[in-house]
Amino acid sequence: MNISPKKILDQLIKNMQITAGEGSKFEVASLQKNISIIDYLYSFTSIPRIEIIRAQAEIEKITYVDLEKTPIDSQAVGLVSESVSRRYKIIPYKYDLTNSTISIATEDPFDRSIIDFLEKKTGKKIILSLADKQQILKMIDLSFSQSGLSPEVRDALKEYSPDLHKETNNSNVQLQQAPIAKIVSTILEFSVKGRASDIHIEPEETRTKVRYRIDGILQEKLSLPRTIHEALISRIKILSEMKIDEKRIPQDGRFTYKSTKDEVDLRVSTLPTVFGEKVVMRLLKKTGGIPSLSDLGFGGPQLKELEEAISKPYGIILITGPTGSGKTTTLYSILTKLNKPTINIVTLEDPVEYQIAGINQVQINTQAGLTFATGLRAFLRQDPNIILVGEVRDKETTQLAIQAALTGHLVFSTLHTNNAATTIPRLIDLGAESFLIASVLTAILAQRISRKICPYCKVSYQAPPEIAANIKSVLGPLLPKKFETNPILLTKGKGCDECNQTGYLGRIAIFEILKVTMAINQHILHQDSAEAIEETAKKEGFVRMIEDGFLKVLNGVTTMEEVLRVAET
């Protein structure tokens, strides 16, 4: 495509990828080097390649595709040979069975000869989309090699016979369906290698999509033909010891999978949807152990405050945050630190996610009458030193937890609130007396999880003026002294093979710890607002979650975008 430098630079300015000043500088520099503006932008700037592709597509009013974020349809790949893909530098990424169309990524979507050739060869309608040449070549290698997810699935699809599945629902037939077993095994193996925490298998009208939650973000990695969905779900149900003929109600199960490098427990949940049953599998590693508090992101004064709170012989310590914010992992880290032969620790969980040697862990069973409230009553007769209650969710559990703390036990639990200060009004809403809360509450920890910058491709850059001003405004006196006079340097990941081009690898938590001091107790007794509680806490050195996040940004651990995504309230 032959696009004038002015058009491409104007579009990048419009898309807020560069400033007008940078545009002029890049245009002059490309002329000096005697190379096209596109080649210059790719080679000598930090603009993401996909943003340059996007700008070209918007100018030409054509579709573009980011192959790093788009799942490759195994059926589509099977319709075009490897030799053709390599010769024309194309990769099929989507097959629409209804309209009989194949969507293909190419660096030249205006090449009519590709369309004519492929339409004649496949008998399908061809739709070309603009894509990055590097991504295309990488996806060709991945899709046609034996190391990727798609080739094994594609081979298995060729062997699979839908008719065999239709004839009978007999579990023996399902178990003997080697292609389906291979597809499930490949999906699970990829999840372990890709560090996924969850696998989502979701039916749609014309396909079944497979998504993985990696570092807290859902990523679609595989698209399967709709015809194999029933067999795929049946295979997972058999492994999880569920009823394969029951499709009208949700079911739960679990099984263990041993991959080439790890053994994982999978907690499986099915849900009937309009297009069929959806399955979500939560991966719980059996190997690797529980992270320490410092591994989670605690350090400095925060770590000292938490260690002081958990060293007390009685009281209540609450950990708050939304679902998926790492509350359970933090609790397990604390319990592992406190676990000694001289201490009796009992936990009441729903479900028990990790099994810890030396701790008495109890699984909630509501059908049998074992709830948080009934379990907590039984615990008080078990001579415990430390009690963990998975969640404070009703009046009875709240009152029993307070009673346990009043009688000399150290109680840990979780609560769903946005920050530490709003936890106290929430406890009062749950029926706790304010004078009892003031007597037993020791500390409240609120947290979120943000992605860590990939150490293999991290680069530093000077913060733009508006971001630097925001950091200084939020941190105030907490701003490290070196940044008061020097420019603020930030870090980001460029994207590499180690982090799958995302720029992030692993996760870290950002926290705020509210110590319940005499001044905070006065607010509790007067049932003051969360704002008043936080204002007093700040005078006593309280560091808000967003401030902790910004400090981690300045330390090069995570990015501004991540902190604002998870912690801005």
Side-chain angles (χ1 to χ4, degrees):
M1 287 185 296
N2 191 13
I3 303 173
S4 73
K6 181 168 174 29
K7 278 188 178 179
I8 193 78
L9 292 168
D10 284 350
Q11 190 64 45
L12 288 169
I13 293 166
K14 184 180 174 184
N15 294 350
M16 295 193 295
Q17 293 301 312
I18 59 172
T19 63
E22 285 174 327
S24 302
K25 188 175 81 173
F26 294 159
E27 187 172 7
V28 171
S30 70
L31 290 169
Q32 288 172 341
K33 291 184 182 291
N34 197 26
I35 58 175
S36 73
I37 189 65
I38 299 294
D39 288 340
Y40 179 83
L41 293 171
Y42 279 150
S43 304
F44 299 100
T45 73
S46 60
I47 305 166
R49 292 179 70 92
I50 194 62
E51 289 298 337
I52 300 168
I53 295 287
R54 176 188 162 200
Q56 292 177 79
E58 287 170 341
I59 291 165
E60 295 289 351
K61 294 182 171 51
I62 54 173
T63 59
Y64 76 99
V65 60
D66 183 353
L67 293 173
E68 296 291 355
K69 294 180 180 174
T70 304
I72 303 299
D73 188 330
S74 300
Q75 258 190 315
V77 172
L79 294 169
V80 178
S81 69
E82 181 178 357
S83 60
V84 169
S85 286
R86 291 195 184 280
R87 190 193 322 155
Y88 289 101
K89 295 185 179 62
I90 58 171
I91 186 72
Y93 65 91
K94 184 181 175 185
Y95 176 50
D96 185 341
L97 187 65
T98 309
N99 298 312
S100 195
T101 59
I102 309 171
S103 295
I104 291 179
T106 173
E107 61 177 329
D108 185 3
F110 295 108
D111 189 344
R112 186 71 218 178
S113 64
I114 296 178
I115 297 175
D116 293 341
F117 173 75
L118 290 174
E119 285 186 345
K120 195 177 289 183
K121 195 164 184 67
T122 62
K124 319 283 182 197
K125 187 183 175 187
I126 301 298
I127 299 172
L128 296 184
S129 299
L130 178 64
D132 178 14
K133 181 182 175 181
Q134 287 187 1
Q135 287 187 358
I136 293 168
L137 296 175
K138 182 182 173 183
M139 286 302 165
I140 289 172
D141 289 339
L142 187 65
S143 298
F144 292 103
S145 75
Q146 289 307 306
S147 61
L149 183 60
S150 295
E152 293 178 16
V153 172
R154 194 176 65 250
D155 293 344
L157 286 172
K158 288 176 184 174
E159 297 171 35
Y160 174 65
S161 168
D163 297 330
L164 181 60
H165 176 65
K166 283 176 187 172
E167 283 168 17
T168 177
N169 260 336
N170 185 292
S171 64
N172 289 329
V173 172
Q174 288 300 314
L175 284 166
Q176 289 161 12
Q177 275 278 51
I180 292 298
K182 190 192 285 184
I183 290 170
V184 172
S185 181
T186 304
I187 289 169
L188 295 174
E189 186 68 37
F190 184 86
S191 70
V192 176
K193 286 179 182 172
R195 302 174 298 103
S197 60
D198 300 84
I199 307 167
H200 292 236
I201 300 174
E202 302 169 322
E204 293 184 349
E205 192 171 5
T206 58
R207 64 172 187 145
T208 291
K209 67 180 179 185
V210 181
R211 297 196 289 174
Y212 295 90
R213 191 175 292 281
I214 300 171
D215 291 336
I217 305 293
L218 270 175
Q219 301 176 21
E220 192 174 330
K221 293 289 184 183
L222 184 63
S223 180
L224 297 167
R226 185 68 180 80
T227 50
I228 74 159
H229 184 77
E230 299 294 330
L232 196 66
I233 301 304
S234 293
R235 172 67 183 165
I236 293 167
K237 282 182 169 181
I238 288 164
L239 291 171
S240 313
E241 298 182 351
M242 296 182 195
K243 296 176 182 174
I244 62 170
D245 57 342
E246 181 53 84
K247 301 174 184 180
R248 300 164 300 167
I249 59 171
Q251 294 187 69
D252 293 302
R254 65 191 306 158
F255 67 96
T256 300
Y257 172 73
K258 196 165 188 178
S259 74
T260 50
K261 54 186 270 191
D262 280 310
E263 190 175 359
V264 292
D265 273 336
L266 288 109
R267 210 170 70 223
V268 185
S269 168
T270 68
L271 182 73
T273 72
V274 288
F275 294 120
E277 286 181 285
K278 174 186 173 177
V279 167
V280 174
M281 295 184 273
R282 165 67 56 90
L283 280 79
L284 305 165
K285 276 193 180 181
K286 284 185 142 185
T287 50
I290 292 162
S292 67
L293 291 172
S294 56
D295 289 339
L296 292 177
F298 284 99
Q302 279 185 320
L303 183 58
K304 188 182 174 190
E305 285 176 1
L306 183 61
E307 286 176 338
E308 282 176 5
I310 66 176
S311 64
K312 294 186 177 178
Y314 61 89
I316 293 179
I317 295 170
L318 292 172
I319 300 182
T320 77
T323 303
S325 59
K327 300 187 295 294
T328 305
T329 303
T330 301
L331 279 173
Y332 281 142
S333 297
I334 292 169
L335 290 186
T336 303
K337 188 176 177 66
L338 296 173
N339 190 12
K340 295 172 189 169
T342 54
I343 291 176
N344 178 23
I345 302 176
V346 288
T347 77
L348 194 59
E349 304 171 63
D350 184 22
V352 174
E353 293 198 4
Y354 296 96
Q355 293 171 5
I356 309 172
I359 293 179
N360 306 288
Q361 295 171 272
V362 178
Q363 166 80 50
I364 288 291
N365 187 342
T366 48
Q367 289 180 332
L370 178 54
T371 63
F372 282 120
T374 56
L376 194 44
R377 274 203 195 86
F379 277 7
L380 296 176
R381 297 190 292 274
Q382 288 284 317
D383 186 30
N385 299 102
I386 297 171
I387 297 171
L388 183 148
V389 184
E391 186 184 341
V392 172
R393 56 173 71 156
D394 55 40
K395 183 175 181 179
E396 192 178 8
T397 310
T398 307
Q399 291 174 339
L400 285 166
I402 290 171
Q403 192 61 42
L406 284 169
T407 51
H409 303 92
L410 182 58
V411 180
F412 292 94
S413 192
T414 68
L415 202 61
H416 290 279
T417 57
N418 285 332
N419 55 41
T422 54
T423 303
I424 292 165
R426 176 76 181 124
L427 284 173
I428 293 169
D429 286 344
L430 284 169
E433 296 286 355
S434 55
F435 69 92
L436 292 178
I437 298 172
S439 304
V440 298
L441 195 59
T442 304
I444 303 164
L445 187 156
Q447 69 177 68
R448 301 285 190 280
I449 295 181
S450 71
R451 292 180 291 172
K452 287 169 72 175
I453 297 167
C454 173
Y456 300 99
C457 62
K458 66 159 59 175
V459 291
S460 295
Y461 66 100
Q462 189 170 327
E466 63 275 13
I467 291 178
N470 186 20
I471 290 172
K472 288 177 180 178
S473 169
V474 169
L475 288 179
L478 291 172
L479 183 75
K481 285 189 168 46
K482 65 178 179 180
F483 294 122
E484 288 176 2
T485 51
N486 297 326
I488 290 180
L489 289 177
L490 301 180
T491 313
K492 66 179 178 181
K494 285 199 305 183
C496 64
D497 289 342
E498 292 291 334
C499 62
N500 197 23
Q501 308 302 324
T502 62
Y504 297 99
L505 190 66
R507 294 192 288 172
I508 195 160
I510 54 178
F511 305 93
E512 60 185 31
I513 299 175
L514 178 65
K515 289 191 298 180
V516 181
T517 60
M518 291 295 290
I520 300 297
N521 268 333
Q522 289 302 310
H523 284 301
I524 296 172
L525 290 169
H526 295 137
Q527 297 190 15
D528 290 334
S529 67
E531 290 77 14
I533 293 167
E534 188 170 291
E535 198 57 46
T536 299
K538 281 166 76 173
K539 290 173 187 171
E540 298 182 331
F542 173 68
V543 177
R544 291 182 301 145
M545 205 184 311
I546 195 159
E547 292 167 344
D548 180 51
F550 278 19
L551 289 169
K552 286 184 167 93
V553 168
L554 294 178
N555 287 331
V557 178
T558 187
T559 63
M560 282 287 292
E561 292 81 5
E562 274 299 288
V563 173
L564 295 174
R565 179 178 70 85
V566 301
E568 196 169 44
T569 53

